[in-house]
Amino acid sequence: DRSVSANDVFVRIILNRSRAYEQEAILCTIKLYTKYSISSFLPTTQPSFDGFLIEEVNLQPQLNEVEHYNGQNYMTAVLKQCIIFPQKSGKLTINSGKYDVTVVQHERFSGFWGGSRPVEKEIKVSSNSASINIDPLPSPQPEGFTGAVGIFSIDSRLSTSSFKTNEAASLIYTITGTGNIKYIKEPVIDFPTEFEQYTPQNEITAQVNGSSVSGTMKIDYTFVPQSVGDFHIGADKFVYFNPESRKYVTLTTPTYDIKVARGAAVSAAADVNKQSISSKNTDILHIKMGDLHPAKVHRYFYSSAWYWPAYIVLALILVAIIWIYSKKVKLNADIQGRRLANANKVAKKRLKIAKGFMSAHDNDKFYEEMLRAIWGYLSDKLGLQASQLTRDNIDRELTEYGAPQNLTDSFINIIDECEMARYSPAKSDEQIEELFNQASSAMNAMEGIKRAKRQ
């Protein structure tokens, strides 16, 4: 038998384009080329996708295609295919992977009959590295742009046409299209201050479509009117970047003018008030006649021992109310502040979904939901857009936030584990549960850190 050369068995990383924008979908294919039969194939080091978010394509590798490459014929198998979304500009490189491969050669032997017999030979194979130039999104970015890249359409509708106080209603907001739809931030809707609002519930249905990802993001904004009258729900601007036309596109939802009637709960309260007034009008006592022995000396409250302590307490309560109200107004006006306040609540909701997939032993969806939870939590907590979510940025921002290095390393390790686990051999239930617990502990530890003041 002869030695196996690098031209006999190799692995290629193939990108469908050599240049792209930040957040633009890129098709990445990892393919095996061989002139020999393969009896075993084991990845020892997977290619690293630093600076990318990954959406993997489900496939079963089969060595049944023949391809003419560099003047020679090879049997080929697609080992992995995924859609990757670059998170920063510049030249990004997908580092090579390493594989242990056992090939089958046919060894000739002499003798009366002669012939050949199969002989297995173990070799080590490395893939190439693939680089791509990523262009930054054009500046200036329009107001309302939060990182959506692709081609999208939007729609909104109210769940009902009849509104009453203390009765819940919903604004259903739907984003449909092709691109980084799984990483789009929920739009912030301009609701009247008289409406009590709940945390938006979103549902994403997406699948790989050709060289990108297509799907629908449905957001349910539940609100409860607290006052009777005419109200206005303002229009929302959804802004995305179209890499084909190289332009930003602004879509606008309609405004809604609604009339809120008095609900049952308010009517009941009104009846109670009427009964109370009625009872007061009939509850008039007779005037007592005779000598009532009125006191000749009167003491005014301001001269009592309780006056100044009570005055100070009431003044402190007034200051506290003003401070809390101003903080609430500032928080409602500050979108970033609202995201920061809700970061832990939203992340724990996604962790709960991930735990459900873990219990169902659906590992792919578990890792996908874990990544969404971690990326979303860090984005809201650190005030980063999706296009800024890179390992370097997270490391730097967590340090500036005041997080200790071991907590920073824990978050980065969780992200690496989730990204690697999606295309590496299946892990045990204990390892998966340990990863889930590590993510929960990291978020709890982060919530206990007070943000350091920026210099």
Side-chain angles (χ1 to χ4, degrees):
D1 62 327
R2 68 181 183 86
S3 61
V4 180
S5 71
N7 290 326
D8 293 331
V9 181
F10 55 91
V11 175
R12 292 179 64 208
I13 300 176
I14 307 168
L15 303 178
N16 72 328
R17 61 184 69 202
S18 60
R19 197 173 201 94
Y21 283 102
E22 292 178 64
Q23 295 294 331
E24 184 178 3
I26 303 166
L27 177 63
C28 175
T29 304
I30 303 177
K31 184 184 286 190
L32 168 67
Y33 290 74
T34 177
K35 293 180 180 179
Y36 298 99
S37 298
I38 304 293
S39 61
S40 71
F41 185 93
L42 178 65
T44 57
T45 302
Q46 290 282 5
S48 61
F49 293 84
D50 289 344
F52 295 93
L53 291 178
I54 305 172
E55 185 67 27
E56 192 163 351
V57 180
N58 292 324
L59 53 83
Q60 294 295 328
Q62 293 183 350
L63 195 65
N64 56 5
E65 296 288 335
V66 176
E67 182 176 327
H68 192 73
Y69 178 73
N70 280 348
Q72 301 184 60
N73 289 330
Y74 294 90
M75 290 184 293
T76 64
V78 176
L79 305 176
K80 176 183 176 66
Q81 197 167 60
C82 55
I83 308 299
I84 57 177
F85 298 91
Q87 300 301 296
K88 59 182 179 180
S89 59
K91 184 176 183 180
L92 300 185
T93 300
I94 301 172
N95 295 326
S96 63
K98 296 180 180 180
Y99 310 89
D100 288 342
V101 183
T102 302
V103 300
V104 179
Q105 293 181 307
H106 290 275
E107 180 184 69
R108 292 189 173 276
F109 62 89
S110 59
F112 181 77
W113 298 105
S116 64
R117 59 190 172 196
V119 177
E120 292 187 341
K121 187 170 185 177
E122 295 182 358
I123 62 172
K124 294 186 179 296
V125 176
S126 297
S127 70
N128 64 311
S129 296
S131 297
I132 182 170
N133 293 312
I134 305 301
D135 295 324
L137 296 174
S139 293
Q141 295 179 355
E143 181 182 358
F145 177 70
T146 59
V149 175
I151 301 176
F152 302 99
S153 61
I154 60 171
D155 178 61
S156 67
R157 61 180 177 85
L158 292 170
S159 61
T160 180
S161 58
S162 176
F163 302 90
K164 294 183 179 181
T165 55
N166 295 325
E167 293 186 8
S170 295
L171 173 65
I172 311 299
Y173 193 112
T174 305
I175 303 171
T176 304
T178 299
N180 61 341
I181 190 165
K182 297 184 73 172
Y183 309 105
I184 292 176
K185 292 290 184 182
E186 297 165 351
V188 178
I189 306 299
D190 181 21
F191 284 102
T193 56
E194 294 86 353
F195 288 6
E196 181 181 356
Q197 299 176 48
Y198 293 86
T199 301
Q201 304 293 316
N202 68 52
E203 178 183 351
I204 299 177
T205 304
Q207 60 282 323
V208 174
N209 182 13
S211 59
S212 188
V213 176
S214 298
T216 299
M217 181 180 188
K218 181 180 178 182
I219 310 117
D220 188 324
Y221 297 89
T222 301
F223 60 92
V224 180
Q226 300 294 307
S227 303
V228 175
D230 296 324
F231 297 96
H232 178 81
I233 299 177
D236 174 67
K237 290 183 179 180
F238 176 75
V239 183
Y240 69 89
F241 178 73
N242 185 337
E244 294 183 4
S245 64
R246 303 180 181 181
K247 294 180 179 179
Y248 291 98
V249 179
T250 300
L251 305 178
T252 305
T253 58
T255 60
Y256 295 96
D257 294 314
I258 64 176
K259 185 177 184 64
V260 179
R262 192 178 302 278
V266 176
S267 296
D271 291 340
V272 171
N273 290 334
K274 290 178 181 178
Q275 293 173 8
S276 177
I277 295 172
S278 176
S279 64
K280 289 179 181 179
N281 290 335
T282 58
D283 190 19
I284 301 176
L285 301 178
H286 292 287
I287 299 174
K288 187 174 181 180
M289 307 298 291
D291 189 2
L292 301 180
H293 304 288
K296 294 181 180 180
V297 179
H298 300 281
R299 290 177 58 86
Y300 294 100
F301 179 70
Y302 68 82
S303 63
S304 69
W306 290 101
Y307 176 76
W308 286 109
Y311 182 87
I312 294 173
V313 170
L314 289 174
L316 291 175
I317 292 175
L318 178 61
V319 171
I321 291 173
I322 294 173
W323 180 79
I324 293 172
Y325 178 77
S326 62
K327 186 176 181 180
K328 184 177 180 181
V329 170
K330 184 178 180 181
L331 187 61
N332 287 336
D334 180 14
I335 296 175
Q336 180 57 42
R338 293 172 64 182
R339 288 181 179 170
L340 178 62
N342 292 326
N344 192 43
K345 184 187 299 183
V346 175
K348 285 190 178 297
K349 184 190 304 179
R350 287 175 174 164
L351 282 180
K352 186 176 181 181
I353 297 174
K355 188 175 183 180
F357 290 134
M358 179 178 69
S359 300
H361 302 287
D362 192 340
N363 293 350
D364 288 342
K365 291 186 177 179
F366 167 77
Y367 289 120
E368 179 181 328
E369 198 62 38
M370 281 287 290
L371 273 176
R372 288 187 62 206
I374 294 297
W375 282 124
Y377 176 77
L378 292 176
S379 174
D380 293 339
K381 199 71 178 176
L382 302 177
L384 296 175
Q385 294 185 5
S387 61
Q388 298 173 312
L389 286 175
T390 65
R391 296 170 84 258
D392 292 340
N393 283 351
I394 289 172
D395 193 318
R396 183 181 65 257
E397 291 292 332
L398 282 173
T399 301
E400 292 182 0
Y401 192 97
Q405 188 59 45
N406 63 331
L407 182 57
T408 299
D409 294 340
S410 180
F411 275 114
I412 292 177
N413 179 65
I414 293 167
I415 293 171
D416 290 343
E417 285 288 331
C418 289
E419 289 185 344
M420 291 292 293
R422 296 171 68 192
Y423 50 84
S424 61
K427 293 183 180 295
S428 66
D429 292 343
E430 291 77 9
Q431 290 174 310
I432 292 175
E433 185 174 359
E434 181 181 355
L435 182 64
F436 177 84
N437 293 335
Q438 184 182 358
S440 298
S441 299
M443 290 182 186
N444 290 334
M446 190 67 186
E447 288 302 306
I449 297 174
K450 184 176 180 181
R451 184 163 197 164
K453 292 184 178 180
R454 295 183 180 269
Q455 300 297 325

